[in-house]
Every structure is written in structure tokens, then in C-alpha cells.
């Protein structure tokens, strides 16, 4: 995740070993989605997804990436 902390946007960089349906969501510390989740089929390889954080209040959030093979979570700090 970069930049972190973030004020305008943050970028999630990740790699997947095989084609899969991927869902990425941004949640607050209580697990509530703070933006609509994104879902798409992705090919194997390296990927980058940018997320606008400009309208979020300052605080700690979690980027949650779900695939058929598991779940990964990254911490995102938002400051303005």
C-alpha cells in the first residue's frame, strides 16, 4: 500500500498466481465497508489498483483483497 499515510488516494499492489475472481473492499476498524467493493476477474501476474481516499475521514482503514485462494488485508492510514 502506498502512499501510507494517504490523503488523496492509495495504491494497492499485489500479485496473483492464477486467473481468479478478485474482490477488494475498504473497511473501517469496525469492519464496515466505507466504499462500494470492487469485483473483477483478473489474470495471473502483478496488479495495481488505485483507491480514492479524499472523501474519507482521517483514521485507520483496511484494504481487504479476497480471491478463491484466500484473503489478504493491508492497513491504510488516512490523513488530511
Amino acid at each position: 500500500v502506498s502512499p501510507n499515510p494517504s490523503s488523496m488516494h492509495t495504491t494497492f499492489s499485489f500479485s496473483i498466481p492464477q486467473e481468479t475472481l478478485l474482490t477488494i473492499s475498504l473497511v473501517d476498524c469496525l469492519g464496515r465497508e466505507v466504499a462500494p467493493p470492487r469485483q473483477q476477474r483478473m489474470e495471473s501476474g502483478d496488479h495495481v489498483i488505485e483507491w480514492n481516499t479524499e472523501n474519507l475521514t482521517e483514521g485507520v482503514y483496511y484494504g481487504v483483497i479476497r480471491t478463491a485462494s484466500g484473503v489478504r488485508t493491508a492497513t491504510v492510514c488516512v490523513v488530511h
Side-chain angles (χ1 to χ4, degrees):
V1 176
S2 68
N4 200 8
S6 168
S7 62
M8 302 293 279
H9 70 277
T10 194
T11 301
F12 295 92
S13 301
F14 56 93
S15 181
I16 51 178
Q18 60 191 32
E19 181 181 346
T20 188
L21 180 63
L22 178 134
T23 302
I24 184 169
S25 56
L26 196 60
V27 299
D28 64 14
C29 62
L30 298 176
R32 299 176 295 202
E33 290 181 343
V34 296
R38 299 179 188 179
Q39 186 176 58
Q40 64 189 81
R41 182 156 297 282
M42 298 191 122
E43 295 181 7
S44 63
D46 298 329
H47 299 275
V48 175
I49 294 178
E50 188 172 296
W51 205 295
N52 183 345
T53 59
E54 186 176 9
N55 296 323
L56 297 175
T57 58
E58 289 188 346
V60 177
Y61 297 88
Y62 302 95
V64 182
I65 299 174
R66 291 181 176 85
T67 66
S69 61
V71 177
R72 297 194 74 179
T73 304
T75 303
V76 180
C77 296
V78 176
V79 295
H80 296 293

